[in-house]
Amino acid sequence: MKSQTPTNLGRVSIILVLACCTFLASLTSAEVHVREFVIEAKPVKRLCRTHQTITVNGQFPGPTLEVRNGDSLAITVINRARYNISLHWHGIRQLRNPWADGPEYITQCPIQPGQSYTYRIKIEDQEGTLWWHAHSHWLRATVYGALIIYPRLGSPYPFSMPKRDIPIILGEWWDRNPMDVLRLAQFTGAAPNVSDAYTINGQPGDLYRCSKPETVRFPIVPGETVQLRLINAALNQELFFTVANHQLTVVEVDSAYTKPFTTNVVMLGPGQTTNVLITANQRPGRYYMAARAYNSANAPFDNTTTTAILEYVNAPSGRGQITPVFPVLPGFNDTATATAFVNRLRYYKRAPVPLKIDENLFFAVGLGLINCTNQNSPRCQGPNGTRFAASMNNVSFVLPRTNSVMQAYYQGIPGIITADFPPVPPVQFDYTGNVSRGLWQPVKATKAYKLKYKANVQIVLQDTSIVTPENHPMHLHGYQFYVVGSGFGNFDPKRDPASFNLFDPPERNTIGTPPGGWVAIRFVADNPGAWFMHCHIDSHLGWGLAMVFLVENGVGQLQSVQPPPLDLPRC
């Protein structure tokens, strides 16, 4: 073996010292961001009418949080509204700290009017576009904002990062109090009224009444490339997004980098984020950004289109002003375009996908109906005198009310939740065929599934045709996962795993089930605590399309849930 010369040793030492200095500098540069979020009703005017709208710090949408990987946040939420509330930091892993995750009655009791709670959050090995939102009933219709995580100082992006980026939050607007819309649906058992508008950064855009003056405009310099951070904050709707005459280069989804690819259109389910690069390479002018529904279900939906304007700074003005160019959008039921977009996503490098599976789970997800003894009752206005429901493996999840799941689990309090959620459907059937009406009514219960620490988990999420097949955007709290496969029809455990992508599958925190199909995900259960898994269509969540994973502690303090904070809200 050839020995190192003193010169070579010196070079190696210098490199090691520089590497250590860079690492230590990244640690010392970490910041603690202290913020105060005041939840209160403020007058907000849209579609010609003013409503007392629940806001954060009087803003709609709420404040954008900008942090770096390694930073911490201490956000004190003061509830001056008339509703209970909690906030969820969508996509933040909250390692060993479920107390800061936010879903009411899952990891905390809600913050009651007049009370406060401080969310203490550590960003650990995450970067990209995420968001925060209310996780209490339908308050997230207006209580939401962007959460942007930049890399540590000195850490590069895996693509050529533009000098400028723009958060674009897609939302839904009701021309009434969203909580009243929810209450009516809860009383009647029918589907809730659809929204009256979609929004881009809180504004409906040119195509709605009384909205044109406030349409959001984004100036751009000819030749400039900017990054758009797209967030679907809509309550109940998948959305297509496009920009007239411009190509979009996808570089990230759900705070995970992708192999770049160009597309004319992006599809985002509620809860999902997508970063795209756009270059101003067209004639100077004005070009509409637009979003409209992707509706995969046989159900009513808001068939309007929201717009903003990409405006070249040298576009003609005054009398020579050009009407914005309108884009071509897919049809509302264009599943082929939605599927083609999702299937192009790849992780930006080789992904550390679990190969040996310890927990092989199969979850049938979909809608259902609760039969009524009196079909003419005002509380049974669903199809044929029923009430709408939804379930996973025939269990329609019921939120506890006297304590949170996490508190009961941590303190060993019985009677709140049972750990007997079924790993497979209790009855196997032709999930996407003509399902017997005897299988349409789920069982209401509060059930969880236990996972050993560091278990390698695979879940196949199978859509059903009960009531209607549909794309269900399934969100797993506390985790990122790899989407290793998907398809239409019933999952075939003998044939379909052969086509799994175990090399570079996309990493996500929210994934849609193909309507009338299935999707397979994998992750390592390395984050102890109680973690909610649910459909991010809020009407479905309220109907029970949810369950909880209880991930056991590992060995020692660094593999165990940390103690709850002293100011954790009480029920």
Side-chain angles (χ1 to χ4, degrees):
M1 180 177 174
K2 189 175 179 180
S3 62
Q4 296 270 20
T5 65
T7 303
N8 287 339
L9 286 171
R11 288 173 181 162
V12 171
S13 299
I14 290 170
I15 291 169
L16 288 172
V17 168
L18 288 172
C20 289
C21 288
T22 301
F23 176 71
L24 290 171
S26 71
L27 292 180
T28 55
S29 66
E31 292 185 39
V32 177
H33 303 261
V34 179
R35 299 291 293 272
E36 193 172 84
F37 277 15
V38 178
I39 312 295
E40 58 187 341
K42 289 288 184 179
V44 175
K45 186 176 183 179
R46 298 291 185 274
L47 308 180
C48 312
R49 297 179 62 189
T50 300
H51 297 274
Q52 288 298 314
T53 300
I54 305 301
T55 66
V56 174
N57 296 348
Q59 300 176 42
F60 168 68
T64 294
L65 296 172
E66 296 181 83
V67 299
R68 290 193 178 275
N69 184 12
D71 287 359
S72 298
L73 299 102
I75 301 175
T76 300
V77 177
I78 300 167
N79 188 3
R80 292 182 184 158
R82 58 191 174 110
Y83 306 106
N84 289 347
I85 198 168
S86 65
L87 296 188
H88 171 51
W89 317 93
H90 186 111
I92 298 294
R93 290 212 55 199
Q94 309 284 12
L95 292 170
R96 301 176 41 250
N97 185 25
W99 314 110
D101 190 43
E104 67 173 3
Y105 298 110
I106 302 297
T107 58
Q108 66 168 92
C109 296
I111 306 165
Q112 297 177 24
Q115 301 299 310
S116 66
Y117 176 49
T118 299
Y119 291 92
R120 297 168 180 86
I121 300 164
K122 179 70 186 295
I123 310 296
E124 299 184 65
D125 297 322
Q126 289 188 269
E127 53 192 66
T129 303
L130 295 172
W131 63 301
W132 57 267
H133 59 81
H135 214 299
S136 305
H137 300 290
W138 275 26
L139 292 177
R140 84 167 179 87
T142 58
V143 178
Y144 59 79
L147 200 173
I148 298 170
I149 308 171
Y150 301 108
R152 295 179 188 272
L153 287 172
S155 295
Y157 289 89
F159 57 91
S160 181
M161 178 64 181
K163 294 180 181 178
R164 195 162 63 94
D165 62 12
I166 303 170
I168 293 183
I169 310 179
L170 310 176
E172 277 186 282
W173 179 264
W174 276 261
D175 197 20
R176 66 208 79 183
N177 182 350
M179 292 292 281
D180 291 342
V181 177
L182 173 63
R183 284 198 186 102
L184 178 62
Q186 288 175 330
F187 177 82
T188 65
N193 291 325
V194 300
S195 57
D196 297 286
Y198 300 114
T199 58
I200 294 178
N201 290 359
Q203 294 293 342
D206 284 0
L207 306 184
Y208 298 89
R209 66 185 186 274
C210 305
S211 300
K212 194 166 186 174
E214 286 74 36
T215 296
V216 181
R217 294 170 181 262
F218 300 104
I220 193 167
V221 175
E224 180 186 18
T225 298
V226 298
Q227 179 175 235
L228 307 181
R229 297 178 180 268
L230 308 176
I231 300 167
N232 186 354
L235 207 65
N236 293 322
Q237 192 63 60
E238 291 94 346
L239 294 167
F240 287 119
F241 174 88
T242 190
V243 182
N245 291 14
H246 288 74
Q247 290 278 297
L248 307 173
T249 301
V250 177
V251 293
E252 178 198 308
V253 292
D254 290 1
S255 77
Y257 296 120
T258 66
K259 289 182 170 68
F261 68 90
T262 57
T263 179
N264 294 319
V265 65
V266 173
M267 194 283 287
L268 303 98
Q272 293 183 328
T273 69
T274 302
N275 286 17
V276 298
L277 308 182
I278 183 170
T279 299
N281 56 10
Q282 299 299 302
R283 289 179 58 184
R286 296 170 179 83
Y287 299 86
Y288 275 125
M289 298 177 175
R292 66 168 293 183
Y294 164 50
N295 190 64
S296 59
N298 182 20
F301 68 100
D302 177 354
N303 196 20
T304 62
T305 302
T306 181
T307 58
I309 298 173
L310 185 70
E311 188 170 56
Y312 283 58
V313 294
N314 60 341
S317 58
R319 285 191 171 185
Q321 184 166 321
I322 301 170
T323 301
V325 179
F326 201 83
V328 176
L329 279 156
F332 71 87
N333 59 352
D334 192 346
T335 292
T337 293
T339 303
F341 172 78
V342 171
N343 287 347
R344 294 183 70 188
L345 296 169
R346 295 287 185 274
Y347 195 56
Y348 76 109
K349 61 181 181 179
R350 180 157 193 169
V353 184
L355 300 179
K356 180 181 176 295
I357 299 302
D358 303 308
E359 292 278 1
N360 199 348
L361 307 175
F362 184 90
F363 292 172
V365 301
L367 304 185
L369 298 173
I370 301 293
N371 296 323
C372 295
T373 52
N374 178 10
Q375 295 185 355
N376 296 318
S377 167
R379 295 188 62 82
C380 297
Q381 299 300 303
N384 301 315
T386 61
R387 292 179 61 84
F388 271 108
S391 69
M392 299 176 68
N393 282 355
N394 204 48
V395 178
S396 184
F397 190 84
V398 178
L399 283 173
R401 292 296 178 188
T402 59
N403 209 334
S404 75
V405 170
M406 185 62 218
Q407 287 166 277
Y409 176 53
Y410 187 83
Q411 298 167 2
I413 299 171
I416 303 298
I417 192 166
T418 57
D420 57 348
F421 184 86
V424 296
V427 177
Q428 294 187 14
F429 57 97
D430 180 3
Y431 305 105
T432 57
N434 188 13
V435 182
S436 166
R437 287 299 295 262
L439 296 173
W440 284 37
Q441 178 160 307
V443 175
K444 288 182 173 289
T446 309
K447 292 181 180 290
Y449 190 86
K450 270 197 172 182
L451 294 172
K452 295 286 187 185
Y453 183 80
K454 280 290 182 86
N456 291 335
V457 183
Q458 175 176 291
I459 309 173
V460 174
L461 297 160
Q462 172 72 62
D463 184 34
T464 77
S465 59
I466 296 174
V467 181
T468 178
E470 186 166 358
N471 182 303
H472 295 283
M474 301 299 296
H475 174 47
L476 176 58
H477 290 230
Y479 286 91
Q480 295 275 109
F481 50 73
Y482 295 101
V483 184
V484 297
S486 63
F488 290 96
N490 296 333
F491 175 73
D492 186 333
K494 293 181 180 179
R495 184 189 71 236
D496 289 328
S499 65
F500 282 1
N501 176 9
L502 303 179
F503 181 78
D504 59 354
E507 185 183 30
R508 307 212 68 149
N509 60 54
T510 306
I511 187 62
T513 59
W518 56 272
V519 63
I521 66 173
R522 291 186 179 186
F523 63 95
V524 179
D526 59 357
N527 192 12
W531 303 107
F532 210 19
M533 186 176 201
H534 63 90
C535 180
H536 220 279
I537 295 174
D538 273 32
S539 58
H540 296 180
L541 171 58
W543 290 339
L545 215 169
M547 56 83 66
V548 175
F549 282 112
L550 298 177
V551 181
E552 297 178 351
N553 287 335
V555 178
Q557 183 178 349
L558 295 180
Q559 296 182 359
S560 301
V561 171
Q562 64 189 48
L566 296 177
D567 63 339
L568 192 69
R570 298 181 179 181
C571 285

